[in-house]
Amino acid sequence: MPQQTESGPSRRSDGRELAHPTPASDPGHAMREAILGKIRYAAGRDVEAARDHDWYLATALAVRDRIVDIWLDSIRRTTADQKQVAYFSLEFLIGRLLGDALSNLDLVGEVRDALAGLGVDYERVKFAEADAALGNGGLGRLAACFMESMASLDLPAYGYGIRYDYGLFRQVLTDGWQHEIPEDWLSFGNPWEFERPNIAYPIHFGGSVEMQGQPGGLIRHAWHHGETVMAVAFDTPVVGWRGKRVNTLRLWSARSVDPLKLEAFNHGDYVGAMAERANVEAISRVLYPSDATPAGQELRLRQEYFFTSASLQDLLRRHLERHPDLTNLADRAAIQLNDTHPAIAVAELMRLLVDERGLAWDEAWRITTGTLNYTNHTLLPEALESWPTGLMERLLPRHMQIIYLINWLHLEKLAEDRPLTDDLIKRVSLIDEDSGRRVRMGHLAFLGSHRVNGVSALHTDLMRETVFRDLHALYPDRICNKTNGITFRRWLHQANPGLTELLVEAVGPAVLDDPGALSAFQRLADDAGYRERLQAVRRRNKLALAREIKERLAIDVDPDAMFDVQIKRIHEYKRQLLNLIETAALYEAIKLEPELDWAPRVKIFAGKAASSYHQAKLIIKFAYDLAQKVNNDPAMKGRLAVAFMPNYNVSLAELIIPAADLSEQISTAGMEASGTGNMKLALNGALTVGTLDGANVEIRERVGPDNIAIFGLTAPEVAERRADAHHGRNAIANSPRLASVLYAMRGGAFSPDERSRYAGLVQGLSDHDTFMVTDDFDSYWDAQRGLDRLWAEPRSWWRQSAVNTARIGWFSSDRTIRDYAEEIWRVPVA
């Protein structure tokens, strides 16, 4: 590492001076000087003592200075008449930000050269940054992509969420079992954020509500709250493409009003003196605390209300700074609720308008329903949140009153137009009476929103037909579709620079700004030279991933084998189990007929299971046990390998996706809302094997049925098959290959240390195969063998790979945000 003397030039640790070209001939001079200044005055280090993280900190701060200029300019040029977007999300999976910022500002070369002139490796500096642990999976990553696209489209927007101290857990595998440890991503600080102690709002819980008479016979509800928590803002700038705009991601941290009970402390009760602070700060401590206990459930609700209330208070304050009152709020702000987590916004906005601002109920309801919009992300009952009324009444008593009133007015209005049966009331009420009286947050978000959208064409159709069928019949114009998208800046330009360079050369620089320009690449799909170069780019990416697998898992994998990838949250409906059972069947088949020309495969898995989700953890354990069996069998060398990569995050995805040959998108039809991993992998040229589920349906329409491998039951067929209680047992009986693998699993062939480990898993597939693993197995096996044959024809494989990249441009999050802006938010986009 170089060093800087007090009065002399920079020197390396061996004492030799560093060359310093003149500023006129060295475009990196200013950046190098800025980084040196930050090393000294921000990191407090002499250059000789600086380590990778010090250089990262200094570089990030030097780049941040340039971002701030654009950020402040973006705020200044946002006029009072412009409508702004507020995106409420419990997750923002933003990943590392240095590479993102440098790419969007076109500063990668300048920073690389500046660091090189200081004897510092840019790649090591970039990887010294911790992944921001602010999300779990697709929901949070989508929010991050949307924030980047809004800035890139010069659309004024705020993102609102929680600044988790530890975020989602770090996944550690011990003998194949998942263990959760804190993801201490803030341990070295976060140079991208600005703490705003002057922007803090009181968030209240508990207590009671008093009705107070007012002049004119009006009633005012006074909430005498029992507890107050302060929400303190931390702002992170979000840089748009080519620095067009920088928007704000505002995250809230929970602080105690009284951080220390000094009297108790002075009496020696040191733990008691800090107890209230610990209880309060738990709100922003961890993403998705386990709700398997009543305390965990309460903490989850406290989190959701905490960030929603703080965000609404902030939004109203900012509005009133520019406007005399709140009557035009819906004309100047559009709030998007990302899933049901912030659905309490309906009741909270009504409380703020009616109780705090004195608006009449009808006027407040007009403003609320004109401002809020709701994105539904799931049809799974357990993910459509509901809260016990008892918990709500204790924790948020005023909100429970408001919800009861919304529900009463809702049912009264319906009674004006039609006779209400008990059955209809039961289905459309905000209160679920069948499950111990619970508030249906999806119903609340639906009633309180201007528009409700699904995230793929199939998902939106199923919303209309299933979870919101009755509400859709009552409000037929409210549901619309906005198919998800991804930011190509992150998932192509940054993640796969080799492919990006090839695309620019083949298509022209327009491909960097216009995802639609990718379509021109298709004409080169039949060009043998370009196919070879495409293959060479992929092989370099596979070599990088192979090195990471070797370093993490001590497994040698062949970069010339097919890299078959399934990377996503571990859940039964995503059917990692189907993939693993097919892998075990392939292992058995290779053992039985080793003379056949099997396509060499490396099966790559990654993903986290929820901490209380035993079945998902058992699936991870099976992946580990299967890997032990396969990878230690000499007969599999060069034919089959299995790797489960622990602690899946954005940075690992950026390494795996560009190296993938095959993308596993095999969820049970009708259960995946959209998916975005399918888009990222197809963009980078991976072929998709998948069901007609989520956005797979639209990917098939875009890339063509000949360039995707579709298998399995459709959503209507799944519903029909579920009606047969014996469908799992029948499917096993009709598939000798499946029966053989399940027999081996049940008998302990893959778990010799505990032979009964997977007996319950196998029995469940026979007795109640909710996710159609057994029914889809043979179709999945056939699709995989078809892909084996395609792999043996490189010309056809790489042509299809090129076509996938060329035709995926429609799935840009820029297109998605334009759709939201034009059809939901009514915000002009340039």
Side-chain angles (χ1 to χ4, degrees):
M1 292 291 180
Q3 63 180 354
Q4 177 79 32
T5 64
E6 288 291 333
S7 57
S10 298
R11 297 177 181 273
R12 296 185 183 277
S13 56
D14 58 10
R16 290 182 297 169
E17 290 186 11
L18 289 167
H20 280 284
T22 62
S25 64
D26 178 17
H29 173 79
M31 180 62 74
R32 183 165 56 249
E33 292 303 309
I35 292 171
L36 282 172
K38 298 298 183 184
I39 278 285
R40 189 176 190 86
Y41 299 112
R45 292 279 196 177
D46 188 89
V47 290
E48 185 179 36
R51 298 295 179 260
D52 288 346
H53 192 273
D54 300 314
W55 289 109
Y56 156 68
L57 175 65
T59 304
L61 291 173
V63 173
R64 194 183 76 169
D65 286 350
R66 299 199 184 187
I67 292 171
V68 167
D69 290 334
I70 308 172
W71 193 15
L72 296 178
D73 178 68
S74 299
I75 294 170
R76 279 193 297 267
R77 62 186 175 84
T78 302
T79 67
D81 293 334
Q82 281 183 278
K83 193 173 188 179
Q84 298 186 46
V85 175
Y87 198 83
F88 286 23
S89 180
L90 200 59
E91 302 181 37
F92 286 94
L93 195 55
I94 54 179
R96 291 170 170 149
L97 293 180
L98 178 60
D100 205 40
L102 293 177
S103 176
N104 281 5
L105 293 173
D106 195 23
L107 289 176
V108 174
E110 183 177 338
V111 169
R112 189 188 298 273
D113 291 345
L115 289 170
L118 295 167
V120 179
D121 180 12
Y122 166 71
E123 295 299 325
R124 288 183 59 181
V125 169
K126 187 170 68 170
F127 287 114
E129 181 177 5
D131 267 58
L134 301 174
N136 178 29
L139 183 84
R141 186 53 231 171
L142 181 77
C145 285
F146 280 4
M147 287 299 298
E148 196 268 1
S149 278
M150 283 188 273
S152 294
L153 294 174
D154 201 16
L155 195 162
Y158 270 72
Y160 283 111
I162 296 179
R163 179 186 181 266
Y164 301 102
D165 296 334
Y166 297 101
L168 197 67
F169 58 83
R170 174 178 289 274
Q171 180 192 54
V172 173
L173 299 187
T174 304
D175 193 29
W177 290 107
Q178 173 182 294
H179 295 274
E180 303 88 29
I181 63 173
E183 179 69 90
D184 197 6
W185 70 285
L186 288 170
S187 57
F188 288 97
N190 179 10
W192 299 109
E193 68 182 9
F194 291 80
E195 183 176 3
R196 309 291 196 193
N198 59 310
I199 301 177
Y201 299 97
I203 313 299
H204 305 303
F205 297 98
S208 60
V209 180
E210 178 188 359
M211 290 191 296
Q212 300 173 339
Q214 301 290 304
L218 298 176
I219 298 295
R220 178 181 179 272
H221 292 81
W223 180 14
H224 303 296
H225 40 79
E227 176 189 3
T228 299
V229 175
M230 297 304 297
V232 178
F234 285 75
D235 289 353
T236 299
V238 179
V239 183
W241 179 236
R242 300 198 184 280
K244 182 178 291 186
R245 169 178 284 274
V246 174
N247 280 330
T248 302
L249 174 60
R250 178 159 287 174
L251 304 177
W252 302 104
S253 182
R255 302 290 170 83
S256 174
V257 175
D258 189 3
L260 178 68
K261 299 291 186 183
L262 191 57
E263 184 176 352
F265 189 89
N266 288 335
H267 281 87
D269 185 7
Y270 306 130
V271 174
M274 300 287 289
E276 181 180 330
R277 176 179 177 180
N279 184 56
V280 165
E281 294 183 356
I283 292 174
S284 58
R285 194 71 77 194
V286 176
L287 169 64
Y288 293 146
S290 173
D291 58 359
T293 65
Q297 192 174 61
E298 177 176 327
L299 178 55
R300 182 82 67 90
L301 178 57
R302 285 164 66 91
Q303 284 186 329
E304 294 181 4
Y305 176 67
F306 165 80
F307 100 87
T308 301
S309 177
S311 304
L312 286 172
Q313 291 183 65
D314 189 59
L315 185 143
L316 296 186
R317 174 192 60 81
R318 290 191 297 108
H319 179 87
L320 289 171
E321 286 175 352
R322 296 183 170 214
H323 302 279
D325 55 46
L326 295 169
T327 56
N328 66 337
L329 180 66
D331 298 323
R332 294 292 176 262
I335 300 173
Q336 194 68 39
L337 308 178
N338 194 27
D339 216 0
T340 53
H341 307 129
I344 194 65
V346 177
E348 173 66 356
L349 185 51
M350 288 296 294
R351 185 190 71 83
L352 291 170
L353 295 174
V354 174
D355 294 358
E356 301 292 331
R357 299 291 171 177
L359 273 67
W361 178 274
D362 289 346
E363 174 70 353
W365 187 246
R366 179 192 67 79
I367 294 170
T368 295
T369 56
T371 305
L372 299 179
N373 303 281
Y374 161 51
T375 300
N376 173 274
H377 282 280
T378 183
L379 305 176
L380 296 177
E382 67 268 23
L384 274 173
E385 288 184 316
S386 65
W387 298 107
T389 55
L391 173 60
M392 290 280 288
E393 288 165 351
R394 177 170 58 81
L395 207 62
L396 301 171
R398 178 58 181 142
H399 298 77
M400 200 62 245
Q401 288 182 344
I402 291 171
I403 289 170
Y404 282 138
L405 182 53
I406 292 171
N407 196 43
W408 181 77
L409 292 171
H410 158 58
L411 296 177
E412 283 287 299
K413 184 174 183 297
L414 295 184
E416 295 174 1
D417 302 324
R418 62 187 57 76
L420 290 184
T421 65
D422 289 343
D423 188 53
L424 179 60
I425 292 173
K426 183 184 296 185
R427 297 198 305 271
V428 301
S429 173
L430 297 185
I431 309 301
D432 180 1
E433 304 282 357
D434 291 335
S435 304
R437 289 182 57 82
R438 302 177 69 91
V439 181
R440 294 165 164 157
M441 302 307 286
H443 281 43
L444 178 63
F446 188 107
L447 286 181
S449 294
H450 169 62
R451 300 286 271 176
V452 176
N453 72 280
V455 290
S456 73
L458 175 62
H459 169 239
T460 301
D461 287 343
L462 290 172
M463 278 173 57
R464 295 181 176 124
E465 296 168 7
T466 57
V467 293
F468 295 131
R469 179 178 179 177
D470 297 296
L471 290 172
H472 173 60
L474 300 173
Y475 304 92
D477 298 326
R478 190 161 300 186
I479 294 178
C480 62
N481 178 59
K482 295 291 168 279
T483 298
N484 284 343
I486 57 172
T487 170
F488 287 19
R489 272 80 61 175
R490 168 78 77 158
W491 296 107
L492 178 63
H493 304 174
Q494 295 172 51
N496 202 342
L499 178 57
T500 303
E501 183 180 342
L502 179 60
L503 290 169
V504 169
E505 180 183 328
V507 175
V511 77
L512 297 175
D513 298 282
D514 177 15
L518 283 171
S519 60
F521 189 61
Q522 184 169 340
R523 69 175 184 267
L524 300 171
D526 290 313
D527 186 307
Y530 271 101
R531 287 199 307 271
E532 288 176 7
R533 293 178 65 186
L534 186 63
Q535 187 173 359
V537 168
R538 180 79 53 77
R539 193 176 192 281
R540 287 196 296 272
N541 296 335
K542 291 165 76 172
L543 282 168
L545 178 55
R547 287 192 293 270
E548 188 72 13
I549 291 172
K550 175 69 172 177
E551 181 177 332
R552 290 193 183 203
L553 304 176
I555 299 171
D556 290 304
V557 298
D558 180 5
D560 293 316
M562 182 198 306
F563 277 24
D564 179 348
V565 167
Q566 188 173 18
I567 46 174
K568 54 187 74 233
R569 180 167 50 94
I570 308 298
H571 196 289
E572 289 172 277
Y573 90 84
K574 293 180 183 289
R575 298 203 298 190
Q576 285 90 354
L577 184 58
L578 174 60
N579 190 348
L580 290 165
I581 290 173
E582 190 275 336
T583 304
L586 178 59
Y587 171 73
E588 285 190 349
I590 295 173
K591 293 283 284 184
L592 286 171
E593 299 181 283
E595 71 282 358
L596 296 184
D597 189 19
W598 299 97
R601 286 190 188 233
V602 179
K603 289 274 196 173
I604 298 167
F605 298 86
K608 296 178 180 179
S611 56
S612 58
Y613 195 171
H614 172 74
Q615 199 79 340
K617 289 185 171 183
L618 189 61
I619 290 169
I620 294 174
K621 175 60 174 172
F622 180 47
Y624 175 85
D625 284 345
L626 181 59
Q628 294 294 106
K629 185 81 168 181
V630 170
N631 298 335
N632 291 318
D633 190 334
M636 294 299 110
K637 188 172 179 60
R639 297 185 178 192
L640 181 63
V642 179
F644 188 99
M645 305 283 284
N647 202 43
Y648 182 54
N649 57 18
V650 174
S651 296
L652 185 55
E654 290 174 323
L655 182 65
I656 294 174
I657 287 171
D661 294 307
L662 185 63
S663 166
E664 299 272 355
Q665 307 298 328
I666 60 175
S667 53
T668 310
M671 302 197 76
E672 183 72 84
S674 169
T676 53
N678 46 9
M679 303 168 191
K680 296 162 193 167
L681 286 151
L683 172 64
N684 283 272
L687 274 57
T688 301
V689 56
T691 52
L692 284 174
D693 195 28
N696 288 355
V697 176
E698 288 154 286
I699 290 176
R700 183 175 183 262
E701 292 171 356
R702 299 285 167 173
V703 305
D706 295 336
N707 299 300
I708 187 171
I710 296 296
F711 74 93
L713 301 172
T714 63
E717 289 168 342
V718 166
E720 182 181 343
R721 195 68 59 92
R722 282 204 182 110
D724 178 4
H726 304 293
H727 70 90
R729 189 174 295 111
N730 294 337
I732 295 169
N734 292 326
S735 175
R737 192 181 305 277
L738 174 60
S740 175
V741 172
L742 296 183
Y743 179 81
M745 288 175 62
R746 184 193 293 272
F750 302 102
S751 55
D753 58 321
E754 185 185 343
R755 294 198 169 273
S756 63
R757 180 177 296 146
Y758 302 115
L761 195 63
V762 172
Q763 192 64 44
L765 292 176
S766 176
D767 294 345
H768 43 81
D769 183 12
T770 306
F771 303 102
M772 303 293 146
V773 171
T774 56
D775 294 81
D776 275 351
F777 175 83
D778 282 345
S779 178
Y780 181 54
W781 172 270
D782 291 341
Q784 292 285 18
R785 302 295 71 78
L787 289 161
D788 283 347
R789 293 187 291 272
L790 186 64
W791 184 258
E793 301 173 8
R795 178 184 180 280
S796 298
W797 184 281
W798 291 102
R799 183 187 184 284
Q800 290 194 29
S801 175
V803 168
N804 267 265
T805 297
R807 294 184 180 178
I808 213 72
W810 186 80
F811 293 96
S812 164
S813 52
D814 292 356
R815 184 269 315 156
T816 310
I817 289 300
R818 285 185 187 276
D819 288 349
Y820 273 98
E822 293 170 6
E823 300 171 27
I824 295 181
W825 304 330
R826 305 298 174 91
V827 179
V829 177

